[in-house]
Amino acid sequence: MSVSDTVLVRPADAHNARLVSNVHPPDWQNPTPAPCYNLVVIGAGTAGLVTAAGAAGLGAKVVLIEKNLLGGDCLNVGCVPSKAIIRSSRAIFDAREAGRLGVRLDAPAKVDFPAVMERMRKLRADISPHDSAQRFAKLGVDVFLGEARFAGPDTVQVAGQTLRFKRAVIATGARPADPLIPGLADAGYLTNETVFSLTQCPARLAIIGGGPIGCELAQAFQRLGSQVSLLHKNAHLLDREDMDAAALVQNAFIREGIALHLNANITRVERNGDGKIIWYKAQGKEETLPVDEILAGAGRAPNIEGLNLEAVGVQSDPRKGVLVNDCLQTTNPRIYAAGDVCLAWKFTHAADFTARLVIQNALFLGRKKLSSLTMPWCTYTDPEIAHVGLYERDARERGIEVDTYVREFKEVDRAVLDGEDDGFVKFHVRKGRDEILGATIVARHAGEMISEISVAMAARIGLGKLASVIHPYPTQAEALRQCGDAYNRTRLTPTVKKWMGRWLAWQRG
Ligand SMILES: Cc1cc2nc3c(=O)[nH]c(=O)nc-3n(C[C@H](O)[C@H](O)[C@H](O)COP(=O)(O)OP(=O)(O)OC[C@H]3O[C@@H](n4cnc5c(N)ncnc54)[C@H](O)[C@@H]3O)c2cc1C
């Protein structure tokens, strides 16, 4: 039985046809079910793919079920397309700024928006074989296309078949939360599920939500040619991040001409000819904002509906998703969850590493704990903000005293030479102990730099020790070692200094 020919990724061009042929092949035949599976995996985003591949590699009989596109959000409508267009947006920004580096272009650099989007679609299709149904079938996984729901304590139904399992994993991810703004649905709006299908750049684009998704796309579209208005309900963008870090990004946005509407409470939206009008209240005043398109990026909702969770004793919450314990086990001990559907950390690498944990716990009696993971993340604005561990406010809330070490990139030769000195590295160290509790980096490539700190934290290497690691000169990563030097200087107590002075005096005779 051919299962589906209805999945269409727009625009219907050769790149998207290649993508779909990999991640939802129109002529796919669901296999004949095995009598019983070690593991049923529902959802083939990062969490589901990693669980299925890992478990099959260890010899388990695994079924992977996907109702839409294998690869999930990350490949199709998340990380991959967003980072592709962010790369193009950096190229045009650099071209416009080239004069600062003494490079003159004969004519102003221009964006070819359809070409930017086509490049993204081509690269997404190029990457897609890795997540393809064909590859997973070759790995020994039974791939089913269709919507899964639990039918009983040890059965799942999909595409007219009933599959028996010993263990199941819910990896159904999340979707854009409905902004619940009167008139918005009627006026029409984009989300991350539709914005990457654009082939023309909206002249005036309003983005609702100043979190990571809203901010990354706001800067990318502003650079690619839209006049972006960013509406955020709170007083600062990226308000979960370190405030100094978020302020640098906010200032960059203002410099680049993004219109920021902070503390904005959107009251309604109306269609206006080909465009839309947003009504919002800010600082007690009612304002209107005429735009051509609206992109909603305000929060994520877990995909828990339609799974029949109550019937199998799996508790869930409309905001938090599937409820799990520290071993990622749901309230039904045979059923686990991984990725966005159950985590506050909505990142691809979090989905990946929770999947690895689930394999061990579900199939091999493991007791691996979510709380043991050292989880970094990065927001890919320019500059980027990367973070790992505790923020200062987390430490305060937990009653932990910290010493904070900051190195501004204005003091780091390579950042100055690169013209990228708007940023810093900040470490929080447990007071009185050489233990890194958390760190934030604001830099053009902060995401590439944070892993050194993650390694240090995971391996319990202190900041003092980082000072003894030789970093090539000149690199921006030297800022990390320099924080280590600053830490070590604080270890130079008056007593140690006195003894060193005496030793040197004795040496002089
Ligand atoms: C615009 C954007 C940019 C992002 N950028 C980054 C980034 O740069 N770095 C990063 O780490 N993270 C990023 N993320 C987050 C990242 O995409 C997610 O954290 C990741 O995709 C979560 O993977 P998952 O497997 O948990 O869920 P998903 O990728 O959502 O996969 C879940 C899958 O389950 C399927 N499914 C749902 N219900 C059923 C059912 N009943 N039956 C069968 N199948 C079902 C869905 O169709 C989907 O394919 C971004 C997200 C967005 C929206």
Side-chain angles (χ1 to χ4, degrees), residues 455-492:
V455 170
M457 288 177 68
R460 299 186 190 286
I461 295 168
L463 184 53
K465 190 89 182 155
L466 274 192
S468 65
V469 177
I470 303 174
H471 289 65
Y473 175 86
T475 53
Q476 296 193 12
E478 274 194 299
L480 308 180
R481 182 188 54 72
Q482 291 165 351
C483 281
D485 287 340
Y487 172 83
N488 282 340
R489 281 196 292 276
T490 66
R491 318 313 290 164
L492 207 59

Side-chain angles (χ1 to χ4, degrees), residues 41-49 65-83 144 146-149 158 171-176 192-193 195-196 213 216-217 300 303-307 338-343 345-352 354 377-378 380:
V41 182
I42 305 178
T46 304
L49 292 171
I65 308 172
E66 172 56 52
K67 69 173 178 184
N68 190 18
L69 302 173
L70 277 86
D73 276 8
C74 179
L75 172 68
N76 300 293
V77 290
C79 330
V80 167
S82 63
K83 269 72 240 176
F144 277 75
E147 180 161 359
R149 72 190 291 277
V158 56
T172 49
R175 62 182 183 278
N192 71 291
E193 292 177 352
V195 70
F196 300 113
I213 294 175
E216 287 184 8
L217 293 176
R300 313 277 303 156
N303 292 324
I304 49 177
E305 301 80 5
L307 287 164
D340 279 10
V341 75
C342 63
L343 299 179
W345 294 319
K346 295 204 178 342
F347 310 115
T348 291
H349 47 278
D352 182 331
T354 51
W377 55 85
C378 183
Y380 297 90

